[in-house]
Amino acid sequence: MTAENGFEILLVTFPGLEEELKAEVKSLGFRPTGTIPGGVLLTGGWTDVWRANLRLRGVSKVLVRIGSFRAFHLAQLDKRARKMPWADFLRPDQPVRVEVTCKGSRIYHAGAAAERISRAIAEELKAPVSDDAVVCVKVRIHNDVCTFSLDSSGDGLHRRGHKEAVNRAPMRETMAALFLRQCGYTGDEPVLDPMCGSGTFPIEAAEIACGLFPGRSRTFAFEQFATFDPLAWQALQAMEKPRQPAFMFRGSDRDPGAVRMSQENAERAGLAACTAFSQQTVSELQRPDGPPGLVILNPPYGTRIGDRKKLTGLYRSIGQTMTERFSGWRVGIITTDAVLARATGLPFNHTGAPVLHGGLRVSLYLTGRLG
Ligand SMILES: C[S@@+](CC[C@H](N)C(=O)[O-])C[C@H]1O[C@@H](n2cnc3c(N)ncnc32)[C@H](O)[C@@H]1O
């Protein structure tokens, strides 16, 4: 296995949004080789790994498969793990941690397996092992096959690096980006979220329209790998060509704290000039000046019995505001409940596959342009 003729790269995402991620992967010139539940597969080298981390909006983690072998007991795992070419990938001066999952295998104790692999790396590579290391070797022991991957991302990629303030139940940036894509949003229309919380949808949509790279403000675990090439990395970063969109990205919320948070998050992302946030309820919302675009929101879902009854009025008022004041706009609502979606009275013509969000299954309900 050599770096540039390629290894398998797993782009981890949310089950239910694999096809949207695959489309994004293709749009950036990568050639995906397939999808699995919760992931898109790619064959590539280190440049692809760096570029995927820097540019892909819908990926939670970029994992690099570095090897696999069979092992039926811990002594065999230990022996074979010692033979892995660790120094080809990892640096002896960087702390490492090991995470193991076991399924359907004779080696069933993940902790014992992690301890053997950690010791093998510590003794063969002479790298320190530490629970809070940025560099993580992920090992899957399934049906007696041990598959070794490096987590090239480090912190989850929804952490764009400029969002400090979050409210309750924020939508992850990665998921928001894929829902925007599911709405057919490509960066050439205004976007408005009338229940914006911490501002995830307007900020993500504005970044896309501005041509900003999602990974521009953060660091990645691959910067600590033996294979890292700072000059090649700088060249990839320099490909960002920001532009100023001709329209605004708006958010509003009834909660003044959420509005403040959204403004601060947008400022830190360098998007103050093309975003605007205001405090108002959805029924107070007026159609903004300018061309029509996309309204996207994830209203409160309600998880307890009786919530649906309370929320029906809220969903009805969303529908009423949209129908009365937003002709020409499209509306995308992300919710757990088809009955609540229907309570809006909006003419949805597309329902997305269910996606796990905070332990619940949510789907996108999308209209065409309202009449
Ligand atoms: C599930 S959160 C949205 C999270 C947001 N997408 C994010 O990423 O942070 C729902 C939001 O709706 C707001 N909300 C609830 N009722 C509202 C109303 N009648 N008008 C406007 N906002 C409302 C809440 O304050 C909350 O911030």
Side-chain angles (χ1 to χ4, degrees), residues 283-352:
S283 42
E284 291 164 344
L285 182 71
Q286 295 299 323
R287 177 201 178 99
D289 292 338
L294 174 70
V295 174
I296 184 166
L297 65 156
N298 64 315
Y301 308 139
T303 49
R304 285 182 298 267
I305 298 169
D307 281 352
R308 183 189 278 169
K309 212 166 162 193
K310 276 189 254 155
L311 288 171
T312 302
L314 179 63
Y315 278 69
R316 209 176 280 143
S317 72
I318 296 170
Q320 210 172 348
T321 303
M322 294 298 119
T323 310
E324 287 171 5
R325 299 171 214 158
F326 280 78
S327 88
W329 288 65
R330 295 181 299 130
V331 183
I333 297 186
I334 292 125
T335 183
T336 48
D337 191 335
V339 175
L340 286 176
R342 270 199 301 277
T344 61
L346 290 168
F348 298 114
N349 59 14
H350 173 83
T351 306

Side-chain angles (χ1 to χ4, degrees), residues 20-32 51 55-56 181:
E20 282 68 28
L21 176 60
K22 192 171 163 196
E24 188 193 12
V25 166
K26 282 186 183 167
S27 76
L28 284 177
F30 295 104
R31 285 201 221 122
R51 200 162 74 87
R55 303 278 309 264
L56 289 170
R181 180 169 275 276

Side-chain angles (χ1 to χ4, degrees), residues 204-270:
E204 205 54 32
E207 291 203 354
I208 294 168
C210 292
L212 297 172
F213 292 170
R216 68 192 183 285
S217 311
R218 55 164 283 163
T219 57
F220 300 90
F222 64 70
E223 293 171 53
Q224 317 300 331
F225 294 176
T227 51
F228 182 55
D229 176 347
L231 284 181
W233 173 234
Q234 275 167 27
L236 287 178
Q237 289 173 305
M239 290 173 81
E240 188 180 57
K241 300 281 176 275
R243 51 185 180 265
Q244 203 52 44
F247 33 78
M248 294 293 285
F249 297 86
R250 296 173 196 275
S252 49
D253 201 289
R254 69 168 180 199
D255 171 8
V259 174
R260 210 170 35 248
M261 239 183 268
S262 298
Q263 276 161 343
E264 287 167 9
N265 288 332
E267 260 166 50
R268 266 192 297 271

Side-chain angles (χ1 to χ4, degrees), residues 167 169-171 193-198 200 253-255 280-282 298 300 314:
N167 66 339
M171 170 136 306
D193 180 350
M195 295 189 170
C196 69
S198 51
T200 317
D253 201 289
R254 69 168 180 199
D255 171 8
Q280 56 193 321
T281 63
V282 73
N298 64 315
L314 179 63

Side-chain angles (χ1 to χ4, degrees), residues 41-361:
L41 296 166
L42 198 66
T43 304
W46 286 106
T47 314
D48 299 304
V49 172
W50 305 331
R51 200 162 74 87
N53 274 290
L54 177 66
R55 303 278 309 264
L56 289 170
R57 292 192 166 271
V59 178
S60 315
K61 288 252 177 201
V62 179
L63 303 183
V64 183
R65 297 257 161 97
I66 56 167
S68 69
F69 53 72
R70 276 182 182 279
F72 298 102
H73 50 77
L74 287 172
Q76 203 170 35
L77 174 67
D78 184 298
K79 195 167 160 205
R80 296 190 173 165
R82 284 173 189 276
K83 293 212 175 99
M84 293 270 297
W86 295 111
D88 288 358
F89 305 110
L90 302 178
R91 284 172 26 190
D93 62 330
Q94 285 300 329
V96 182
R97 75 194 149 89
V98 175
E99 279 178 14
V100 178
T101 58
C102 301
K103 200 167 135 193
S105 301
R106 265 160 274 192
I107 298 174
Y108 58 86
H109 193 309
E115 196 250 324
R116 295 298 176 106
I117 299 164
S118 300
R119 203 184 327 143
I121 296 175
E123 290 178 9
E124 299 301 318
L125 180 70
K126 313 272 183 262
V129 172
S130 158
D131 283 348
D132 49 17
V134 172
V135 174
C136 178
V137 178
K138 287 182 178 282
V139 187
R140 242 183 60 203
I141 308 181
H142 284 196
N143 303 322
D144 300 319
V145 177
C146 311
T147 307
F148 288 71
S149 301
L150 295 182
D151 174 356
S152 70
S153 305
D155 257 355
L157 293 176
H158 67 283
R159 296 186 194 277
R160 305 293 199 215
H162 37 67
K163 189 177 194 178
E164 281 166 26
V166 288
N167 66 339
R168 283 186 304 128
M171 170 136 306
R172 291 202 161 180
E173 286 68 6
T174 36
M175 191 181 275
L178 293 175
F179 278 130
L180 282 164
R181 180 169 275 276
Q182 207 172 59
C183 291
Y185 172 70
T186 56
D188 56 3
E189 61 187 324
V191 170
L192 182 154
D193 180 350
M195 295 189 170
C196 69
S198 51
T200 317
F201 280 120
I203 292 174
E204 205 54 32
E207 291 203 354
I208 294 168
C210 292
L212 297 172
F213 292 170
R216 68 192 183 285
S217 311
R218 55 164 283 163
T219 57
F220 300 90
F222 64 70
E223 293 171 53
Q224 317 300 331
F225 294 176
T227 51
F228 182 55
D229 176 347
L231 284 181
W233 173 234
Q234 275 167 27
L236 287 178
Q237 289 173 305
M239 290 173 81
E240 188 180 57
K241 300 281 176 275
R243 51 185 180 265
Q244 203 52 44
F247 33 78
M248 294 293 285
F249 297 86
R250 296 173 196 275
S252 49
D253 201 289
R254 69 168 180 199
D255 171 8
V259 174
R260 210 170 35 248
M261 239 183 268
S262 298
Q263 276 161 343
E264 287 167 9
N265 288 332
E267 260 166 50
R268 266 192 297 271
L271 297 165
C274 64
T275 52
F277 296 93
S278 58
Q279 189 211 337
Q280 56 193 321
T281 63
V282 73
S283 42
E284 291 164 344
L285 182 71
Q286 295 299 323
R287 177 201 178 99
D289 292 338
L294 174 70
V295 174
I296 184 166
L297 65 156
N298 64 315
Y301 308 139
T303 49
R304 285 182 298 267
I305 298 169
D307 281 352
R308 183 189 278 169
K309 212 166 162 193
K310 276 189 254 155
L311 288 171
T312 302
L314 179 63
Y315 278 69
R316 209 176 280 143
S317 72
I318 296 170
Q320 210 172 348
T321 303
M322 294 298 119
T323 310
E324 287 171 5
R325 299 171 214 158
F326 280 78
S327 88
W329 288 65
R330 295 181 299 130
V331 183
I333 297 186
I334 292 125
T335 183
T336 48
D337 191 335
V339 175
L340 286 176
R342 270 199 301 277
T344 61
L346 290 168
F348 298 114
N349 59 14
H350 173 83
T351 306
V355 179
L356 267 181
H357 178 233
L360 302 168
R361 287 179 175 279

